[in-house]
Amino acid sequence: MTSLTTKDIETVVARAVESEVKIVDHSLEPFAKLKTGCLGGHLLLTIRFKRGSNNREESQTFFVKTIPDSQVILDTFMDDSMFADEANFYENIAPLLIKEYNGDGWSPKCYLVNSNALVFEDLRIQGYAISLDHYLDESLLKAALTSLAHFHASTMLAEHRLGKTLREIFPNAFVEKLFANHGKFAKNIPVGFDAIKKMIEKFGMDSSLVPKMKDRIWEFTKMRKGKFNVLCHGDLWLNNLMFKNHGSVKCFMVDYQFLRYTSPFVDVSMLIYLHTTPEYRKKSELDLVEHYYWVLHDTLLQGSVKPPIPSYESMLRDYKDYRLIGMILGLLYLPGLYLPSDVLEEIHNNPEEMKNWFMGDRYGVIGFHLDTVPTYEKKLKSMVVELMEEAKIVFDARSV
């Protein structure tokens, strides 16, 4: 288990409490009984202290993220740079983003960064929690898109103030980890596309467009010259969104290991397509995009600097170009997340099962549940149909 030094504990309390304190004791324990992710350890830090001459003991809890303790994960698909890249984000990049930024927060406060641990405020004691439903209702969707727009706006404001892009300032900070020809974790993408191909064939459709889909997502997740680019979160699945649903709904995004510098609509399409149904999207997709745009627009207007703001029409055109990316990401992520809860828990909590899912016979698990769980089959079939309809439009248009 990760240990924190006395100096680490003192630093955390000094930054969190902002007054002179005397440390009484501290403890570390697992943050939850079951793991909900694979690329980090999660601990609860409790610090007991006294303020100044006050003899009354107080305590405060913090969330600690560490390097995974599983050697299987570290050896098989955890890239060496993942933890260091997130640490660099909180140590060097995030402070630039929030300097002179006047909007609501989009990430929890980070009180300590060291070589093997990140210490954050404990969002749970503020009423934040992960949604238990894969499909977010409209209030949660808009809260998440609001947080995302604030994050993207903070990039634009910082770059305008600094006179350089973040890519220029940190040329080695946003190396693609998913859609790349290097690194351990990227090796799971061919496994994911093989599963997509087999799902398409399972539902009696032609899978010949899958290589073009793969080429498109590899192209569109990179920075695009002449296009609108921002710092993107890159991993907006359910457990990386925390909501406070008391009064006005608020959202924080967590886990910044998959940062990339590209179109904001990689993030927007991923958020929408991982958390809504095809039926909902037909009715409300563009309303969600419009909500994102006007939050971005208004946040930029409130900043102390005034970067140029793209028009809604130009951003809507860009979003439509990226819609297919959201569909592909949905079919890379959701076949796992839609599995029965006991199966998903086994994958998250058993490194060998996780290794098999990411690097082995993923479709074997998917195919079994397609044949045995009607609700699972229905969800994935509707997504596959939607993907194939969009792919035919996209690639037929390109061939004209």
Side-chain angles (χ1 to χ4, degrees), residues 329-355:
L329 288 166
L331 277 168
L332 288 172
Y333 276 70
L334 294 177
L337 301 181
Y338 286 165
L339 289 170
S341 59
D342 59 331
V343 178
L344 187 56
E345 286 173 5
E346 177 67 13
I347 292 172
H348 278 154
N349 289 276
N350 184 325
E352 288 296 335
E353 290 296 326
M354 195 179 298
K355 178 181 176 181

Side-chain angles (χ1 to χ4, degrees), residues 45-335:
L45 168 65
T46 302
I47 304 177
R48 288 167 286 280
F49 57 90
K50 295 178 181 179
R51 297 179 193 252
S53 59
N54 189 344
N55 287 322
R56 184 172 62 86
E57 185 176 307
E58 301 178 49
S59 68
Q60 190 160 331
T61 57
F62 302 87
F63 173 75
V64 182
K65 182 174 182 178
T66 69
I67 295 171
D69 56 10
S70 166
Q71 199 60 46
V72 172
I73 292 173
L74 293 172
D75 291 343
T76 306
F77 52 85
M78 177 77 176
D79 288 301
D80 296 338
S81 65
M82 280 184 174
F83 189 88
D85 286 349
E86 187 172 20
N88 179 53
F89 171 72
Y90 278 106
E91 183 79 9
N92 299 306
I93 301 169
L96 293 179
L97 299 184
I98 62 176
K99 185 179 180 180
E100 300 180 25
Y101 165 71
N102 299 321
D104 290 338
W106 34 263
S107 173
K109 294 176 183 176
C110 183
Y111 295 122
L112 180 76
V113 176
N114 68 25
S115 60
N116 66 1
L118 303 173
V119 181
F120 299 93
E121 62 181 321
D122 183 359
L123 293 178
R124 291 194 305 188
I125 63 175
Q126 301 176 39
Y128 284 86
I130 295 166
S131 172
L132 298 178
D133 192 344
H134 289 294
Y135 300 133
L136 300 180
D137 65 28
E138 185 172 311
S139 64
L140 297 184
L141 282 166
K142 289 188 173 179
L145 286 165
T146 294
S147 184
L148 186 61
H150 288 153
F151 174 51
H152 292 163
S154 71
T155 296
M156 298 173 68
L157 291 165
E159 291 182 341
H160 194 70
R161 186 183 74 250
L162 297 167
K164 292 183 178 180
T165 68
L166 293 176
R167 187 66 178 267
E168 291 170 321
I169 298 170
F170 302 101
N172 301 315
F174 314 120
V175 176
E176 178 64 39
K177 296 180 178 66
L178 279 177
F179 304 102
N181 292 313
H182 57 81
K184 300 174 190 174
F185 199 75
K187 293 178 182 178
N188 92 90
I189 295 301
V191 177
F193 273 99
D194 178 67
I196 290 175
K197 179 177 182 292
K198 289 176 179 175
M199 281 187 279
I200 292 169
E201 293 168 351
K202 166 75 174 177
F203 295 125
M205 289 174 262
D206 181 3
S207 64
S208 62
L209 290 178
V210 170
K212 290 186 176 181
M213 295 179 199
K214 184 176 180 181
D215 290 344
R216 186 174 179 87
I217 199 168
W218 280 47
E219 174 191 353
F220 275 47
T221 49
K222 297 180 175 67
M223 184 181 76
R224 305 189 71 204
K225 292 183 179 179
K227 294 286 187 178
F228 175 39
N229 299 285
V230 296
L231 184 58
C232 288
H233 182 281
D235 194 24
L236 293 167
W237 71 293
L238 193 66
N239 283 19
N240 288 339
L241 302 170
M242 297 194 70
F243 298 96
K244 184 176 183 179
N245 201 358
H246 304 296
S248 60
V249 183
K250 294 185 178 180
C251 174
F252 275 132
M253 301 180 298
V254 300
D255 194 346
Y256 290 78
Q257 292 187 114
F258 287 93
L259 290 168
R260 56 169 63 99
Y261 193 82
T262 185
S263 167
F265 293 113
V266 176
D267 271 356
V268 175
S269 66
M270 183 180 199
L271 181 59
I272 292 174
Y273 278 82
L274 261 64
H275 305 291
T276 61
T277 64
E279 295 74 23
Y280 181 91
R281 291 191 283 272
K282 287 179 182 178
K283 179 183 68 173
S284 301
E285 180 179 14
L286 297 186
D287 290 340
L288 297 175
V289 177
E290 185 174 0
H291 173 82
Y292 164 84
Y293 173 79
W294 287 111
V295 174
L296 181 80
H297 176 278
D298 293 348
T299 305
L300 293 174
L301 286 181
Q302 294 166 12
S304 57
V305 296
K306 307 296 180 186
I309 303 175
S311 69
Y312 173 68
E313 290 73 21
S314 68
M315 293 192 74
L316 182 58
R317 286 195 298 271
D318 281 353
Y319 175 76
K320 290 179 178 178
D321 283 343
Y322 281 81
R323 182 185 277 146
L324 184 69
I325 304 304
M327 295 178 188
I328 296 169
L329 288 166
L331 277 168
L332 288 172
Y333 276 70
L334 294 177

